[in-house]
Amino acid sequence: MQTIRVDTPSAKYDVVAGSGLLQSLAPRIQRIAGRLPRRVFVLTSAPIWALWSEAFLASFPEAPIVLFLEPGEKHKSLASVEKLLRQMARAGGDRGSLLIAFGGGIVGDVGGFLAAIYMRGIAYVQVPTTFLAQVDSSVGGKTGVNLPEGKNLVGCFHHPLAVFADIGVLATLPDRELRAGLMESVKAGIIRDRSLVRFMEEHAGEILDRDAKALEKVIAASIRMKAGVVGKDERESGLRMILNFGHTVGHALEQATGYKTLLHGEAIGWGMIAALSLARKRGTISSSQFDRLENLIHLYGPLPALQLKAKKIVAATGGDKKNVGGVRRFVLPIGIGDAGVVEDVSPVELEAAVVYMLARAAKQPAD
């Protein structure tokens, strides 16, 4: 069991990672909140609830009110938010209510957004059930939903009371989901933690075999990295932008494929390869560092094959929410374990990086 403190100007809370957390959830929340509120809501998905509801409910003296969000990025929408808000209102939710986001990254993002805007803000807790959500999206207070024009374009910052990342829940996670989630830990190592890169290179077998100690180390290191960055730049005015390494092209890939072909982590994996190609061209990483990092990404693959046009992907990057005043902001690694944000990436440079990525993606075996 490891506890990582998130300390920002507007909120301070713990992220607890370990096994057996689900069965003791209610008393843990009670210790933090002082008491269990009269109205406790749980936002989840039907597949997660079918697998884990018994363990989840074990410690609650009274069953919470369960809200369901259908799986998939297309349901991470304002229409879903309105539907869920009305369900909360009809169930008697008030300003003293608590919402628990119990699911993957989409459930966490939507749940946090619901909590932020219902009654102008209620308390919530994150209980992430995917690797990606445990190491990344549940931490840092970002909430939101998508628009047809781009991903996460509507949202706000609203920190949870706590995050409980139960490693035991990962036992039912499909291999593809695990590998996709591990891309966020690869990202964490590349931009901020050289020792995590080395650990993931040397212990890939144990990590992919779901060895509890290996997973706990990777999860804790990833969370610790993000907590440190968020503590220094809560509102993404500077340093926090490095957490978007691989996301500029990654989000464009998701949009270009209609959110139907790639898991989020897979899109970020390809996005990181595009960013690494650009970094090699600019000389912020050496050729040997490029080879090492690209090999690490593929070590946790395979990434899906892609058949797309480079110009379509480049055009889709124009909707990235990091862009300001028409300037494309791009995160590039500086060696291994450091990164920076550049604002002068030309369309020609970006297209060349995407062309390299697509050439690599075309060689991937089809499903």
Side-chain angles (χ1 to χ4, degrees), residues 279-297:
R280 177 177 59 175
K281 286 276 181 67
R282 286 197 163 209
T284 64
I285 59 172
S286 66
S287 291
S288 62
Q289 288 171 330
F290 172 86
D291 291 339
R292 180 181 173 189
L293 296 176
E294 186 180 24
N295 287 339
L296 177 62
I297 292 167

Side-chain angles (χ1 to χ4, degrees), residues 201-337:
E201 286 174 327
E202 294 174 355
H203 298 274
E206 295 138 89
I207 293 166
L208 291 171
D209 284 343
R210 306 179 193 232
D211 175 83
K213 288 184 178 179
L215 284 178
E216 185 175 312
K217 184 173 178 64
V218 173
I219 290 168
S222 303
I223 293 170
R224 198 171 287 114
M225 182 284 299
K226 185 167 185 179
V229 171
V230 170
K232 292 177 181 177
D233 178 19
E234 181 181 9
R235 297 283 171 148
E236 203 173 49
S237 58
L239 176 66
R240 186 168 177 170
M241 287 186 191
I242 69 170
L243 298 177
N244 289 298
F245 173 59
H247 286 60
T248 299
V249 171
H251 283 171
L253 284 171
E254 289 180 290
Q255 185 181 347
T257 55
Y259 302 102
K260 295 175 182 177
T261 305
L262 299 167
L263 297 176
H264 175 68
E266 294 169 341
I268 300 314
W270 281 126
M272 288 192 290
I273 286 173
L276 289 171
S277 175
L278 206 162
R280 177 177 59 175
K281 286 276 181 67
R282 286 197 163 209
T284 64
I285 59 172
S286 66
S287 291
S288 62
Q289 288 171 330
F290 172 86
D291 291 339
R292 180 181 173 189
L293 296 176
E294 186 180 24
N295 287 339
L296 177 62
I297 292 167
H298 287 300
L299 185 61
Y300 288 93
L303 296 174
L306 298 173
Q307 296 292 333
L308 295 166
K309 299 291 186 184
K311 289 187 183 301
K312 181 178 182 180
I313 299 168
V314 171
T317 65
D320 190 275
K321 65 184 184 301
K322 293 187 300 302
N323 299 340
V324 177
V327 176
R328 282 186 177 87
R329 289 175 166 172
F330 214 91
V331 182
L332 295 179
I334 303 168
I336 298 175

Side-chain angles (χ1 to χ4, degrees), residues 45-125:
S45 66
I48 290 297
W49 196 244
L51 288 168
W52 293 104
S53 60
E54 186 176 345
F56 184 98
L57 294 170
S59 65
F60 284 88
E62 185 177 331
I65 299 163
V66 183
L67 308 171
F68 290 105
L69 180 68
E70 291 187 59
E73 285 282 350
K74 70 177 181 179
H75 298 293
K76 188 180 173 182
S77 66
L78 288 169
S80 295
V81 167
E82 181 180 359
K83 179 182 174 182
L84 292 163
L85 289 170
R86 295 184 67 185
Q87 289 175 10
M88 292 171 71
R90 288 195 294 266
D94 57 26
R95 288 184 178 178
S97 298
L98 172 78
L99 187 141
I100 303 171
F102 179 48
I106 294 172
V107 167
D109 284 356
V110 174
F113 190 48
L114 283 175
I117 63 176
Y118 186 72
M119 296 277 180
R120 297 193 178 92
I122 63 172
Y124 82 111
V125 169

